[in-house]
C-alpha cells in the first residue's frame, strides 16, 4: 500500500482509509472510528486558493499546537508531576478521536442522533456545544489547547451530514440566539456538496501529498510514543 501511494497509484483518501483499517480502526466501533486530519486552516476567505501553501494546516504538528500560542500551555501540562507517581506525563487529557467526537460531527444523521441523545441522558446537548459551524469549530481548536479533535472521513465524501434534513430541534446559541440548523460552511463553499468537493480536492492537492506523511507519523507512526512523541508534543493521557 505504501509503495502504491508513493507511486501515486492510489489517492491520499484511499491511503488514509487503508492505514486506518490496518490500525484496527473501523466504522463499526465509535471508540475506534477512522481518523482523518484537518488539512486546511483557511475557513474565512471568499475563494479557496489551493496553490497557496498558507491555506493549509501544518501537518507536522498535532492539532493541539498548530496554533503556536498553545504550545506553552501544552508543555506546562506535560511538566506537571503526579505526586503519587501513578499517572504518566501527558500533553493532552483528551484524544484526537473518540466516540463523543464522532457523534458530535454526525449529530444530524441517524443512528448518531439517537446515540448522541442517549449519551446526553435523553436530550440534545446545549446548542453552544454542538457542531454548528466549520469556521467556528476551527477557531475553537486554535483558541483552546484542550480541544484536539481531528476529522472523520465523512468530511471528504458525505455532504448530507452537514444538513439537518430530518429537521431536528437542535436549540439556539446563547449569545446570538441563532437557531442551530444546517452546519455553517466556510465562505468559499456555496453548498454542502461544494464544500465536500473542494475539501476533497484539497486532500488530494500537491501540498497535502507532500506533507501527509508528517501527520501519519503522529497518528500511526513513530511519533505516537516515546522520546519522539515527547519532542513532537504528541503524548496523550
Amino acid at each position: 500500500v505504501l509503495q502504491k501511494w508513493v507511486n501515486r497509484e492510489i489517492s491520499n483518501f484511499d491511503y488514509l482509509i487503508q492505514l486506518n483499517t490496518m490500525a484496527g480502526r473501523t466504522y463499526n466501533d465509535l471508540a475506534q472510528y477512522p481518523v482523518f486530519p484537518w488539512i486546511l486552516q483557511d475557513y474565512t476567505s471568499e475563494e479557496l486558493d489551493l496553490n497557496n501553501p498558507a491555506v493549509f494546516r501544518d501537518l507536522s504538528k498535532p492539532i493541539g499546537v498548530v496554533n503556536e500560542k498553545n504550545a506553552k500551555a501544552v508543555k506546562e501540562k506535560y511538566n506537571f508531576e503526579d505526586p503519587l507517581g501513578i499517572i504518566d506525563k501527558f500533553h493532552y487529557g483528551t484524544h484526537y478521536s473518540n466516540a463523543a467526537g464522532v457523534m458530535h460531527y454526525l449529530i444530524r444523521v441517524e443512528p448518531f442522533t439517537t446515540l448522541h441523545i442517549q449519551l446526553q441522558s435523553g436530550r440534545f446537548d446545549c446548542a453552544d456545544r454542538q457542531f454548528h459551524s466549520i469556521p467556528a469549530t476551527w477557531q475553537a481548536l486554535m483558541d483552546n489547547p484542550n480541544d484536539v479533535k481531528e476529522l472523520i472521513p465523512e468530511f471528504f465524501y458525505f455532504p448530507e451530514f452537514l444538513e439537518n434534513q430530518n429537521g431536528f430541534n437542535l436549540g439556539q446559541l446563547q449569545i446570538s440566539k441563532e437557531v442551530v440548523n444546517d452546519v455553517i460552511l466556510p465562505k468559499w463553499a456555496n453548498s454542502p456538496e461544494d464544500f465536500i468537493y473542494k475539501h476533497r480536492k484539497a486532500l488530494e492537492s500537491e501540498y497535502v501529498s507532500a506533507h501527509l506523511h508528517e501527520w501519519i507519523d503522529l497518528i500511526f507512526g513513530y511519533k505516537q510514543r516515546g522520546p519522539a512523541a515527547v519532542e513532537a508534543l504528541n503524548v496523550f493521557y
Side-chain angles (χ1 to χ4, degrees):
V1 173
L2 173 65
Q3 222 30 68
K4 275 186 161 170
W5 179 62
V6 170
N7 296 342
R8 306 212 171 188
E9 290 164 27
I10 59 173
S11 66
N12 292 337
F13 182 88
D14 282 341
Y15 186 48
L16 287 172
I17 284 286
Q18 302 231 30
L19 280 179
N20 272 286
T21 304
M22 286 185 245
R25 290 184 168 274
T26 165
Y27 285 107
N28 301 323
D29 183 350
L30 288 182
Q32 301 190 75
Y33 206 77
V35 56
F36 267 57
W38 283 92
I39 51 168
L40 296 171
Q41 60 177 2
D42 179 359
Y43 296 96
T44 52
S45 297
E46 301 286 338
E47 296 290 325
L48 181 64
D49 178 8
L50 294 179
N51 295 316
N52 177 7
V55 306
F56 294 98
R57 165 234 176 138
D58 182 347
L59 287 160
S60 69
K61 292 179 178 168
I63 195 69
V65 289
V66 165
N67 183 350
E68 201 53 56
K69 287 212 301 278
N70 294 339
K72 185 167 173 279
V74 164
K75 283 177 186 159
E76 278 170 8
K77 189 181 281 183
Y78 185 81
N79 290 329
F80 174 76
E81 292 279 356
D82 174 22
L84 300 173
I86 300 167
I87 299 172
D88 291 335
K89 293 172 149 204
F90 61 87
H91 292 118
Y92 312 102
T94 56
H95 204 242
Y96 51 75
S97 167
N98 56 38
V102 176
M103 289 183 249
H104 174 77
Y105 287 137
L106 295 176
I107 187 171
R108 290 164 179 78
V109 188
E110 288 290 14
F112 305 96
T113 313
T114 299
L115 290 166
H116 167 89
I117 289 169
Q118 284 170 357
L119 182 73
Q120 297 295 335
S121 317
R123 55 185 174 75
F124 283 113
D125 193 5
C126 88
D128 286 72
R129 281 204 292 268
Q130 283 170 21
F131 176 48
H132 66 273
S133 156
I134 293 172
T137 301
W138 174 257
Q139 199 47 52
L141 284 176
M142 291 302 95
D143 296 341
N144 179 5
N146 299 318
D147 185 355
V148 292
K149 278 193 294 297
E150 289 280 11
L151 296 183
I152 52 176
E154 282 80 353
F155 274 83
F156 300 94
Y157 67 81
F158 184 52
E160 285 79 0
F161 90 101
L162 298 166
E163 298 172 283
N164 186 14
Q165 292 185 352
N166 294 318
F168 294 123
N169 177 6
L170 300 170
Q172 55 182 172
L173 304 178
Q174 276 176 327
I175 296 173
S176 68
K177 298 291 181 250
E178 197 181 332
V179 173
V180 175
N181 193 23
D182 294 346
V183 176
I184 295 165
L185 303 170
K187 285 183 185 165
W188 46 257
N190 53 35
S191 69
E193 290 76 13
D194 189 46
F195 170 78
I196 296 289
Y197 172 74
K198 288 174 179 163
H199 202 217
R200 180 69 171 262
K201 209 169 163 179
L203 179 65
E204 302 302 340
S205 68
E206 197 49 53
Y207 180 92
V208 173
S209 297
H211 292 276
L212 188 57
H213 65 281
E214 297 170 353
W215 182 82
I216 289 168
D217 287 341
L218 296 167
I219 307 294
F220 300 107
Y222 76 106
K223 291 183 179 175
Q224 286 178 84
R225 53 185 58 183
V230 177
E231 194 180 335
L233 306 181
N234 194 41
V235 179
F236 291 83
Y237 174 66

